[in-house]
Amino acid sequence: MDGSADPARGSGTGQRPVPCHVAIIMDGNRRWAEARGLPVALGHRAGAEALRRAIRAAGEAGVQWLTVFAFSSENWRRPAEEVQELTGLLRFYLNHEVKALAKEGVRLRVIGDRCRFGEELRALIERAEADTASKTRLNLNVALSYGARDEILAAARAVAEAAKRGALDPAALDEATFEGFLATAGMPDPDLIIRTSGEQRLSNFLLWQAAYAEFAFLPVLWPDFDAEQFNAALESFATRDRRYGARNP
C-alpha cells in the first residue's frame, strides 16, 4: 500500500481519526486459563468470545479491515491435544458463526497455509469465504497456520518463477509489484497493531505489512479483551503523529 498518505480517517471535522486497518495478536489464552486453574482448552474458548467482542467493536468504531492472528505456523509444534482443541474450535466457529458474520456485514478471509488443515476444514474455510464474499461493512482476515517469513519466502519464490517464465522483468520489480505476491495482496497495510498479554514483539506476524504501523501493547490477557480496551487503543492511535519517515513541514 502507498504510504504517502495516512489512510486513517475521521467521520467528520473535529472527530478522531479511525484506523482503516487494525491487526491484533491475540495472546494470553493459555496464561488466562492457568491463572484460574482451568484447562487450556477453556482459555481458547474464552478467547473465541473475546474475538466476537473485537469484531463487534471494530464494526461499531468504523474500522474497515480487521486482521487477527489466530494460529501461527509455529503453533503446530504445541502439544497434540492443544492443537486438536484449536482446530476443533475453528471447525465449530466456521459451522456456527458464519451466518452471524454475514448478517453483521462481515466478509471473512483466511490467510496462511491452509494446506496443513484437513480436507473437511479446508472446505469449511472456502464455504465461509464464499458465503460472506459480498459483505462490505467489515473485512475480517483470520491468519491461520500463518508465518510472515513463510509468506515472504513464498512470494519470493513466486516472483522467481514469474521471472523464469518471462512474465516479470526482475529489473522492474518494485514494492507494489512484490506486494501482489503476498497473502494480503489487494489489502491495505495495518495502521495499528494491537498485542495483548503484555508481550512486546511481532512474533512473525505481518512483517512486511507492518513497516509503518503504530503499535499498542496491552497488559490485558486476550480472553479479557473487550470494547473498552479496543477503543482505548484507538484513542491512543488518534494521538500519534504519523510521518512515514518524512520530516514535519
Side-chain angles (χ1 to χ4, degrees):
M1 188 178 110
D2 182 3
S4 61
D6 192 339
R9 73 274 181 271
S11 56
T13 302
Q15 296 191 19
R16 74 180 186 189
V18 177
C20 175
H21 186 173
V22 175
I24 305 178
I25 301 173
M26 305 182 295
D27 192 18
N29 291 349
R30 180 193 292 267
R31 275 171 281 176
W32 184 91
E34 290 174 347
R36 290 160 176 76
L38 300 173
V40 173
L42 293 184
H44 292 310
R45 294 177 193 178
E49 292 295 328
L51 176 56
R52 292 186 183 96
R53 294 193 295 269
I55 293 169
R56 189 177 309 114
E60 291 174 352
V63 172
Q64 296 177 0
W65 294 80
L66 177 66
T67 298
V68 295
F69 202 6
F71 191 89
S72 76
S73 53
E74 291 82 7
N75 286 159
W76 291 106
R77 298 198 293 264
R78 289 188 175 183
E81 183 179 351
E82 185 176 354
V83 171
Q84 185 176 4
E85 170 64 27
L86 283 166
T87 54
L89 188 60
L90 173 60
R91 184 177 294 106
F92 178 87
Y93 195 92
L94 291 170
N95 275 317
H96 296 89
E97 297 292 329
V98 172
K99 286 185 179 179
L101 292 177
K103 186 176 180 180
E104 294 173 12
V106 178
R107 179 179 183 178
L108 174 66
R109 278 178 277 202
V110 170
I111 60 173
D113 182 12
R114 64 181 71 183
C115 293
R116 297 194 65 175
F117 296 107
E119 183 177 348
E120 177 197 0
L121 198 48
R122 292 199 302 271
L124 287 174
I125 291 171
E126 291 171 4
R127 187 180 71 186
E129 290 178 325
D131 288 348
T132 61
S134 64
K135 307 307 174 182
T136 59
R137 182 171 181 244
L138 174 68
N139 293 280
L140 173 64
N141 302 317
V142 180
L144 294 170
S145 189
Y146 172 87
R149 287 182 172 181
D150 287 343
E151 177 191 25
I152 294 170
L153 280 173
R157 293 189 190 102
V159 167
E161 287 295 329
K164 185 178 179 180
R165 295 193 311 270
L168 176 67
D169 177 6
L173 181 66
D174 57 14
E175 288 186 12
T177 303
F178 186 78
E179 286 173 355
F181 290 90
L182 295 172
T184 53
M187 304 178 190
D189 288 343
D191 303 297
L192 172 65
I193 296 178
I194 299 169
R195 180 168 186 152
T196 59
S197 86
E199 304 293 348
Q200 299 185 24
R201 56 181 179 269
L202 277 174
S203 296
N204 201 18
F205 181 54
L206 299 180
L207 297 181
W208 175 280
Q209 299 86 344
Y212 288 102
E214 300 292 326
F215 293 88
F217 298 111
L218 307 181
V220 62
L221 298 175
W222 176 248
D224 292 325
F225 186 85
D226 58 19
E228 182 178 355
Q229 279 101 23
F230 187 86
N231 286 313
L234 296 193
E235 290 288 350
S236 176
F237 172 85
T239 68
R240 312 286 179 90
D241 181 14
R242 307 185 73 202
R243 297 187 297 276
Y244 299 96
R247 292 180 178 273
N248 281 333

